[in-house]
């Protein structure tokens, strides 16, 4: 099992729900310090209370889409407050079901704002040498198998997640000389509040997961590995976690 | 949105050339397929701030059921 210590500070976005909340919990269980970024303060406080070492979780309430341009500066401010970061996990995101005939640029932009622009601009801030620990630092993007399955009515969502995969690859090359690792996970359907909507909306949905839907820990455990030193030789990769469904 | 605007907007959503009325049976429309149902959900959300899902949409029999959901 991976070992972290209190001086290992990780940023987790989307920290108050689903996969993000589970990552916070596991990082905390394993001794790391977490800066948990979320929109919902009461939910985030409740999650912190349930964690093993709540004193190692620092809550930052921020609606990240409200000022995307200044997100790099936001990361610098967080560094001044907490210290240099060992890693960042981008799990904030929204799902969307809009067929082409109902799409307009505004809706596409709303989806891209949180699913693409926010993680990219946060990473821009994180990648500044003055904000991260350098060698050993790790960035994990949470994309989706939607980037590959491209189901009907998921144009905006699938495209935003596919764009994230391409961006992560570019970033992994740009940050290679700093020995910062950059990897992307593409989970299948995980039991979360967000994917409940997916179940209600999917067209022609069949249970394509022989072992049932995934659990948040199925993704979070992989994230833990990618954040840890044990994955020191792994960067620029995209991993699908979907019970073999695609 | 008044009743006539609702019908013309819904026709756009369904991309149908059939003249629809409130009594039109949805399953009689060639265009009433899974994609049209998702489009209808997006139409209700975007224009009337009304949330729905596939199960509910599948229970609708006529155009009037969509109108009632929209509050028309």
């Amino acid at each position: 099992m991976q070992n972290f210590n209190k001086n290992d500070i990780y940023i987790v976005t989307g920290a108050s729900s689903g996969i993000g909340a589970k990552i916070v919990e596991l990082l905390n269980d394993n001794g790391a310090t977490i800066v948990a970024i979320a929109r919902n303060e009461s939910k985030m406080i409740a999650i912190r209370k349930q964690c093993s070492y709540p004193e190692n979780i620092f809550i930052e309430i921020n609606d990240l889409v409200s000022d995307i341009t200044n997100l790099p500066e936001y990361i610098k401010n967080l560094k001044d407050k907490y210290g240099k970061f060992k890693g960042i996990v981008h799990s904030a995101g929204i799902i969307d079901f809009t067929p082409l005939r109902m799409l307009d640029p505004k809706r596409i932009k709303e989806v891209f704002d949180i699913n693409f622009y926010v993680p990219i601009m946060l990473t821009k801030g994180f990648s500044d040498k003055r904000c991260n620990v350098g060698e050993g630092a790790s960035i994990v993007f949470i994309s989706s198998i939607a980037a590959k399955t491209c189901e009907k009515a998921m144009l905006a969502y699938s495209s935003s997640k596919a764009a994230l995969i391409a961006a992560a690859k570019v970033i992994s090359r740009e940050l290679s000389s700093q020995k910062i690792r950059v990897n992307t996970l593409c989970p299948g359907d995980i039991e979360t509040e967000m994917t409940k909507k997916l179940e209600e909306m999917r067209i022609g949905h069949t249970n394509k997961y022989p072992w049932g839907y995934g659990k948040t820990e199925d993704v979070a455990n992989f994230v833990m590995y990618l954040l840890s030193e044990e994955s020191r030789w792994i960067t620029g990769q995209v991993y699908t976690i979907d019970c073999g469904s695609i | 949105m008044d009743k006539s605007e609702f019908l013309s907007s819904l026709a756009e959503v369904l991309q149908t050339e059939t003249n629809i009325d409130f009594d039109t049976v949805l399953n009689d429309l060639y265009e009433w397929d899974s994609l049209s149902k998702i489009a209808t959900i997006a139409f209700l959300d975007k224009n009337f701030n009304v949330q729905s899902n596939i199960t509910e949409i599948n229970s609708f029999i006529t155009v009037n059921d969509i109108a009632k959901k929209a509050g028309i």
Side-chain angles (χ1 to χ4, degrees), chain B residues 8-57:
Chain B
S8 60
S9 297
L10 187 64
E12 287 295 314
V13 170
L14 303 182
Q15 297 184 334
T16 181
E17 290 173 314
T18 306
N19 286 323
I20 59 168
D21 205 337
F22 287 96
D23 297 329
T24 301
V25 174
L26 294 165
N27 280 335
D28 288 348
L29 293 170
Y30 172 75
E31 296 84 2
W32 186 243
D33 59 7
S34 55
L35 207 51
S36 281
K37 291 172 186 175
I38 295 282
T40 302
I41 292 169
F43 170 67
L44 288 167
D45 182 19
K46 192 173 171 183
N47 293 281
F48 305 98
N49 202 24
V50 168
Q51 309 301 313
S52 188
N53 58 53
I54 282 290
T55 308
E56 184 178 29
I57 293 288

Side-chain angles (χ1 to χ4, degrees), chain A residues 95-239:
Chain A
I95 202 158
D96 180 71
F97 296 89
T98 311
L100 176 61
R101 70 179 77 164
M102 293 299 292
L103 269 178
D104 53 39
K106 181 172 171 281
R107 183 57 189 157
I108 297 172
K109 188 177 177 301
E110 283 167 358
V111 176
F112 266 73
D113 274 354
I114 185 66
N115 289 358
F116 181 76
Y117 290 111
V118 163
I120 299 308
M121 286 301 106
L122 288 173
T123 301
K124 180 179 172 181
F126 178 90
S127 66
D128 185 321
K129 285 177 187 157
R130 294 163 292 184
C131 291
N132 68 71
V133 299
E135 184 170 354
S138 174
I139 299 169
V140 179
F141 292 98
I142 306 294
S143 177
S144 166
I145 55 162
K148 302 172 184 182
T149 55
C150 302
E151 292 179 44
K152 291 176 186 177
M154 299 192 79
L155 187 155
Y157 183 74
S158 297
S159 304
S160 69
K161 293 298 191 179
L164 198 56
I165 291 172
K169 187 73 180 176
V170 173
I171 294 167
S172 75
R173 292 194 162 123
E174 291 194 10
L175 302 186
S176 173
S177 61
Q178 292 184 52
K179 295 198 172 174
I180 297 174
R181 295 180 300 102
V182 184
N183 293 289
T184 307
L185 297 186
C186 294
D189 296 351
I190 305 296
E191 283 174 358
T192 65
E193 283 298 314
M194 192 170 91
T195 50
K196 267 186 195 166
K197 191 176 172 188
L198 195 129
E199 197 168 353
E200 289 172 353
M201 301 289 279
R202 173 168 282 141
I203 294 169
H205 176 73
T206 53
N207 189 356
K208 56 185 179 179
Y209 300 99
W211 305 331
Y213 290 130
K215 297 190 180 305
T216 52
E217 53 264 42
D218 297 326
V219 180
N221 279 317
F222 204 159
V223 171
M224 293 293 287
Y225 173 66
L226 291 174
L227 293 177
S228 76
E229 303 279 353
E230 290 173 17
S231 59
R232 57 168 289 277
W233 212 51
I234 297 175
T235 191
Q237 300 306 303
V238 184
Y239 296 100

